[in-house]
Amino acid sequence: MAKYGVNEAGVARCRELIAKRQYVLDSEWGDRQPDAAAENAYLERHSWEDYAAWHLGLTTGATDETKARYAFVYGDFRRVHRSALIASVFRAAQWRHKEVELAAHDLLQELDAASG
C-alpha cells in the first residue's frame, strides 16, 4: 500500500481559498472530482507546482512532477469543495494515513467555521 505525507503547500493553498471564500458547501464530490482529462487540461495551462497545491497528500517515493506523486485532491481547480474534504478525511482514515486524515479534518473544521 502506498504511503502518504502531508503536502504543506496544498494545506496552505486550501487555507488561502477558504479565507477568500472560494469554496462550495454542497456538492456531490463523485460528480465534481476532476477526472484525468480535467487534470491534463489544468496541467496544460498551469505548472506542476500549481497542480500540486490542489492536493493534501504526497505519495512517498513517487517522482515529483508526476500525477502519482499527488493525492487527496480537495477541489475542482477553482474552489475548495466541502465534500472533497469529507472524502479526504474518510479515505485517509480508511487506509490509516493519519497525518493526511488530520490535515483534512482540520481544514474541514476551518471551512465550517468560516462558512458559518
Side-chain angles (χ1 to χ4, degrees), residues 4-82:
Y4 301 93
V6 173
N7 179 11
E8 296 298 339
V11 170
R13 178 69 175 137
C14 187
R15 282 195 170 114
E16 287 175 21
L17 292 168
I18 291 169
K20 293 178 180 178
R21 305 186 70 79
Q22 298 295 310
Y23 48 75
V24 177
L25 297 177
D26 296 309
S27 64
E28 292 291 331
W29 186 235
D31 297 335
R32 301 298 307 192
Q33 183 175 1
D35 60 13
E39 291 174 341
N40 291 339
Y42 186 84
L43 281 166
E44 286 177 12
R45 297 183 316 273
H46 298 87
S47 68
W48 278 101
E49 184 177 338
D50 291 340
Y51 178 82
W54 282 100
H55 297 81
L56 299 178
L58 297 173
T59 309
T60 303
T63 304
D64 286 341
E65 297 189 3
T66 64
K67 288 184 188 179
R69 175 71 168 142
Y70 311 104
F72 299 97
V73 65
Y74 62 82
D76 60 10
F77 300 129
R78 289 186 35 230
R79 297 165 297 184
V80 176
H81 281 252
R82 185 174 186 273

